């Protein structure tokens, strides 16, 4: 029976913040332990490398690399985006809690706070008497869990996950957290991100006899832990992570330990907090900490592994080497809630400043500023304040639209957008209107919104977009259309304006975005704006890994090979994107 600890009282060996300790690793890889530090204790390596990316004078480098008659990194994938939901989608959110008798219930509440990161599936794994108990289901957190389900999850330690699926119905077998047994016990994992070398890892594991139960890239992590010869468990995770490429913010649980890990680039967010009773909490965003009354302490650093147990408290291990962080800028543009701190910065303040920059660099005479709710609201407030123009609610969002609905038998133009957004004629009629949105992906929804506002009587419509043009697909845990479907990769700003039907259109200037981030600018990933990928997407991936088969994506069966889309004959993605790859890789 595993030892448990009730942190509501003062334990004999209290959880300390970062106690020093030593491990004798049998591994060749070097690592460092860093005790008691409030700042990032392990300085990133500085490598003198030649550029890993092509320098091109094209406005849209992705379209140069993959013209219309040539497959891009996504091959011939069929987009999972509907015209009425034209936004990138965050793949998921994770939570981990150690040292609270109500761990599973706190996990449930924290998942509620992270529901915006995934609405197709949810799950919790709790540990009680060294036994991992799981409840997972398809749907929203409130649909998956109820009082009786949470009663099945006693214990002082739990991890949770909310999942976004690319299309159709999300298969239960792919809903995390995943739990597996191996020769040293059981382990559960919840993962936010995407592994760009998933295909190679899975092929290697299957060649060695591994049997996979899901079509998720997360499962390879469990197999890598199981085959690792490293001891103790913490070094098994280190050993497994050394083989991973891409984005991963993960929480693990065993019979007596909770582990949090973030990839060396820190693509996806992960933070650590503490409740007043000493319980340690990990979550994708600080909004989850706020809901369960946990105090934010710090981020899990890029390349860091944090282990929590009763014996040693919180132990920190630094994966080596770790490059300069490349954190996802879209967390600040769209994914995260405005009340969260992400990558150490206020999301609300970032979006407000984006709006101010637009008002300064793309001003226009107008009578009212409105937002496309909800993600455009804060940027619109910043624009209105800077421009000295009133902000009003010109579009009302319905919060009661279900994930499925019955379409009208007689087609109603734009009914999908109308179901979610209703224009306010009293605000719009006869007015010169600035409409602020967070991004334009394919342009279909933006054109419908412009049409709705025109029908409400607006005199002029000026679109202001609080992000640079999106020209590249994401491989690090965000579901985006193929490069050919991205309107900014195919059209100039003026062409997009005509397509949408507005009177003027302006995007947040890329240089102004980086200037606003100041010294933090090099720490962010801008691949979707520049086409330059910090970790090369060397495998042509189905978004959501395997969802084409399980979740109803209408991909031709002939184009699927082990759940990955085939490129054209002799297609080499690295050579297509980066002729310097062989010279520059280390």
């Amino acid at each position: 029976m595993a030892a448990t600890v009730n942190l509501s009282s003062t334990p004999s060996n209290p959880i300390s913040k970062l106690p020093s300790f030593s491990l004798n690793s049998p591994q060749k890889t070097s690592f460092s332990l860093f005790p008691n530090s409030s700042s990032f204790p392990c300085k990133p390596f500085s490598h003198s490398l030649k550029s890993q990316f092509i320098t091109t004078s094209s406005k849209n480098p992705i379209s140069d690399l993959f013209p219309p008659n040539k497959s891009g990194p996504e091959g011939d994938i069929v987009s999972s985006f509907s015209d009425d939901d034209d936004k990138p989608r965050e793949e998921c959110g994770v939570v981990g809690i150690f040292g609270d008798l109500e761990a599973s219930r706190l996990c449930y509440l924290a998942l509620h706070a992270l529901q915006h990161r995934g609405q197709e599936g949810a799950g919790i794994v709790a540990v009680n008497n060294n036994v991992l108990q799981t409840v997972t289901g398809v749907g929203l957190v409130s649909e998956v869990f109820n009082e009786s389900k949470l009663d099945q999850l006693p214990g002082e330690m739990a991890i949770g996950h909310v999942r976004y699926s690319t299309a159709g119905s999300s298969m239960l077998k792919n809903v995390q957290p995943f739990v597996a047994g191996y020769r040293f016990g059981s382990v559960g994992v919840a993962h936010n991100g995407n592994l760009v070398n998933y295909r190679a890892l899975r092929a290697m594991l299957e060649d060695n006899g591994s049997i996979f139960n899901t079509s998720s890239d997360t499962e390879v992590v469990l197999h890598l832990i199981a085959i690792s010869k490293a001891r103790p468990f913490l070094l098994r995770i280190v050993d497994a992570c050394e083989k991973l490429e891409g984005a991963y913010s993960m929480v693990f649980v065993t019979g007596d330990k909770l582990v949090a890990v973030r990839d060396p680039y820190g693509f996806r967010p992960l933070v650590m907090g503490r409740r007043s009773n000493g319980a340690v909490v990990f979550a994708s965003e600080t909004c989850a900490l706020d809901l369960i009354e946990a105090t934010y302490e710090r981020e899990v650093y890029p390349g860091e592994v944090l282990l929590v147990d009763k014996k040693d408290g919180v132990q920190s291990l630094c994966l080596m080497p770790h490059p300069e962080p490349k954190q996802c800028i879209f967390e600040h543009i769209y994914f995260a809630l405005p009340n969260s701190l992400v990558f150490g910065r206020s999301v609300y303040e970032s979006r407000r400043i984006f709006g101010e920059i637009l008002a300064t660099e793309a001003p226009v005479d107008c009578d009212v500023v409105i937002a496309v709710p909800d993600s455009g609201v804060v940027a619109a407030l910043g624009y209105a304040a800077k421009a000295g123009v009133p902000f009003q609610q010109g579009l009302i969002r319905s919060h009661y639209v279900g994930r499925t609905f019955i379409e009208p038998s007689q087609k109603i133009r734009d009914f999908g957008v109308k179901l979610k957004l209703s224009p306010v004629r009293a605000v719009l009629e006869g007015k010169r209107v600035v409409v602020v949105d967070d991004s334009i992906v394919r342009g279909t929804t933006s054109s419908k919104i412009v049409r709705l506002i025109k029908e409400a009587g607006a005199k002029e419509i000026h679109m202001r977009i609080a992000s640079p043009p999106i020209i590249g697909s994401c491989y690090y845990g965000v579901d985006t259309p193929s490069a050919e479907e991205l309107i900014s990769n195919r059209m100039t700003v003026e062409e997009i304006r005509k397509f949408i039907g507005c009177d003027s259109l302006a995007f947040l200037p890329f240089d102004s975005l980086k200037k606003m981030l100041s010294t933090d600018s090099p720490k962010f990933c801008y691949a979707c704006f520049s086409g330059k990928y910090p970790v090369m997407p060397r495998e042509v991936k189905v978004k959501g890994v395997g969802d084409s088969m399980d979740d109803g994506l209408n991909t031709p069966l002939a184009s699927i090979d082990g759940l990955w889309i085939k490129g054209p004959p002799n297609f080499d993605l690295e050579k297509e994107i980066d002729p310097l790859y062989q010279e520059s890789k280390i």
Side-chain angles (χ1 to χ4, degrees):
M1 181 179 296
T4 60
V5 55
N6 178 4
L7 295 180
S8 298
S9 58
T10 303
S12 57
N13 185 10
I15 292 180
S16 57
K17 289 187 177 180
L18 286 173
S20 60
F21 76 119
S22 61
L23 294 173
N24 295 318
S25 170
Q27 303 304 295
K28 295 180 180 180
T29 302
S30 62
F31 61 89
S32 66
L33 301 171
F34 35 85
N36 300 322
S37 176
S38 59
S39 60
F40 187 45
C42 201
K43 298 289 186 183
F45 277 24
S46 59
H47 297 284
S48 299
L49 294 178
K50 294 183 179 180
S51 171
Q52 295 187 9
F53 308 107
I54 296 174
T55 301
T56 174
S57 60
S58 171
K59 293 180 180 178
N60 296 336
I62 297 296
S63 61
D64 285 349
L65 297 172
F66 304 105
N69 62 349
K70 188 175 183 181
S71 294
E74 292 81 9
D76 298 322
I77 186 170
V78 178
S79 173
S80 62
F81 285 73
S82 71
D83 285 347
D84 302 322
D85 199 14
D86 189 18
K87 294 291 182 184
R89 288 293 175 220
E90 173 62 72
E91 293 291 347
C92 49
V94 300
V95 178
I97 298 173
F98 181 93
D100 197 296
L101 289 171
E102 298 289 322
S104 64
R105 292 174 185 271
L106 292 172
C107 199
Y108 165 79
L109 292 173
L111 291 179
H112 263 295
L114 298 176
Q115 186 74 87
H116 59 287
R117 299 185 77 89
Q119 296 92 46
E120 298 298 329
I124 294 175
V125 173
V127 181
N128 187 40
N129 293 329
N130 208 25
V131 176
L132 276 61
Q133 297 165 303
T134 309
V135 172
T136 59
V138 174
L140 301 173
V141 174
S142 59
E143 296 169 336
V144 173
F145 296 98
N146 54 34
E147 195 71 28
S148 62
K149 293 282 184 64
L150 292 173
D151 287 340
Q152 300 170 25
L153 298 170
E156 299 180 351
M157 183 166 40
I159 61 173
H161 188 271
V162 287
R163 177 178 188 261
Y164 167 70
S165 170
T166 56
S169 60
S170 177
M171 297 297 288
L172 180 60
K173 70 177 184 179
N174 284 329
V175 178
Q176 299 182 35
F178 294 152
V179 176
Y182 70 119
R183 64 185 182 274
F184 293 112
S186 296
V187 58
V189 60
H191 171 207
N192 177 22
N194 265 339
L195 306 179
V196 300
N197 63 335
Y198 162 74
R199 183 183 186 179
L201 289 174
R202 177 161 178 159
M204 179 270 291
L205 290 163
E206 287 178 330
D207 285 345
N208 290 327
S210 292
I211 298 173
F212 284 77
N213 294 316
T214 76
S215 54
S216 170
D217 56 347
T218 307
E219 192 176 2
V220 304
V221 182
L222 293 173
H223 286 275
L224 292 173
I225 290 172
I227 66 174
S228 172
K229 299 292 193 288
R231 299 289 296 273
F233 177 73
L234 180 63
L235 292 184
R236 286 181 176 276
I237 291 180
V238 173
D239 193 27
C241 288
E242 287 172 349
K243 299 176 176 65
L244 306 179
E245 296 178 17
Y248 53 90
S249 286
M250 297 184 286
V251 286
F252 297 87
V253 70
T254 67
D256 62 350
K257 295 177 177 63
L258 177 69
V259 178
V261 60
R262 197 165 164 219
D263 69 81
Y265 286 93
F267 286 110
R268 308 252 63 85
L270 192 62
V271 296
M272 180 176 120
R274 200 178 298 262
R275 280 171 50 80
S276 59
N277 62 2
V280 177
V281 181
F282 299 102
S284 293
E285 291 183 36
T286 58
C287 62
L289 304 183
D290 296 337
L291 183 60
I292 62 174
E293 298 180 336
T295 302
Y296 168 73
E297 290 196 350
R298 65 173 177 88
E299 291 187 272
V300 176
Y301 302 122
E304 184 181 19
V305 182
L306 284 167
L307 181 145
V308 191
D309 62 13
K310 181 184 177 181
K311 178 182 177 183
D312 296 304
V314 180
Q315 308 170 18
S316 182
L317 180 71
C318 185
L319 292 174
M320 301 290 278
H322 55 85
E324 186 174 57
K326 294 296 177 185
Q327 302 159 147
C328 177
I329 188 59
F330 239 86
E331 293 286 348
H332 278 267
I333 291 169
Y334 176 71
F335 295 132
L337 288 185
N339 58 318
S340 285
L341 285 174
V342 175
F343 309 136
R345 303 177 71 97
S346 165
V347 175
Y348 187 98
E349 284 302 301
S350 292
R351 293 179 187 171
R352 182 185 62 79
I353 296 172
F354 295 161
E356 291 182 352
I357 294 172
L358 283 169
T360 301
E361 301 200 19
V364 65
D365 290 334
C366 63
D367 303 308
V368 65
V369 176
I370 71 170
V372 177
D374 293 317
S375 53
V377 170
V378 179
L381 288 169
Y383 187 103
K386 191 70 173 178
V389 176
F391 168 83
Q392 295 192 43
Q393 279 190 287
L395 292 170
I396 305 299
R397 182 180 181 87
S398 172
H399 294 276
Y400 304 101
V401 179
R403 287 171 290 121
T404 59
F405 48 83
I406 300 171
E407 297 189 18
S409 55
Q410 184 177 4
K411 187 171 180 66
I412 299 174
R413 188 177 70 172
D414 303 338
F415 86 92
V417 169
K418 290 177 179 177
L419 194 66
K420 298 175 183 178
L421 295 173
S422 302
V424 182
R425 183 173 290 272
V427 172
L428 303 172
E429 192 168 20
K431 303 289 180 61
R432 298 169 298 173
V433 183
V434 166
V435 184
V436 181
D437 202 357
D438 61 271
S439 60
I440 295 180
V441 180
R442 294 188 307 174
T444 50
T445 298
S446 297
S447 64
K448 293 177 181 181
I449 290 172
V450 168
R451 197 152 56 230
L452 286 181
I453 296 172
K454 280 184 178 179
E455 290 171 358
K459 183 180 178 181
E460 297 176 7
I461 302 174
H462 305 275
M463 292 289 292
R464 295 296 179 265
I465 309 303
S467 70
I470 301 173
I471 64 169
S473 191
C474 180
Y475 294 84
Y476 311 129
V478 179
D479 189 13
T480 49
S482 65
E484 290 182 8
E485 292 178 274
L486 296 168
I487 192 168
S488 293
N489 190 45
R490 297 184 288 107
M491 299 182 184
T492 65
V493 173
E494 175 60 17
E495 289 170 338
I496 297 171
R497 183 198 67 78
K498 291 179 180 178
F499 176 85
I500 292 172
C502 56
D503 293 281
S504 73
L505 170 66
F507 291 84
L508 181 71
F510 189 18
D511 290 341
S512 298
L513 169 63
K514 293 195 289 186
K515 183 178 179 181
M516 185 277 282
L517 295 170
S518 186
T519 56
D520 286 339
S521 177
K523 300 177 183 178
F524 282 89
C525 173
Y526 308 105
C528 54
F529 305 139
S530 67
K532 297 181 179 180
Y533 293 90
V535 178
M536 292 302 298
R538 291 178 294 185
E539 298 173 350
V540 185
K541 179 178 65 64
V542 174
K543 295 301 177 186
V545 186
D547 286 345
S548 61
M549 297 295 288
D550 293 322
D551 291 354
L553 189 62
N554 296 318
T555 305
L557 293 178
S559 70
I560 295 179
D561 177 19
L563 306 176
W564 296 76
I565 297 297
K566 293 180 180 179
N570 303 318
F571 177 73
D572 188 330
L573 182 59
E574 283 172 338
K575 291 180 180 178
E576 292 289 340
I577 293 181
D578 183 9
L580 298 177
Y581 170 73
Q582 296 297 333
E583 184 177 354
S584 64
K585 80 175 182 178
I586 55 172

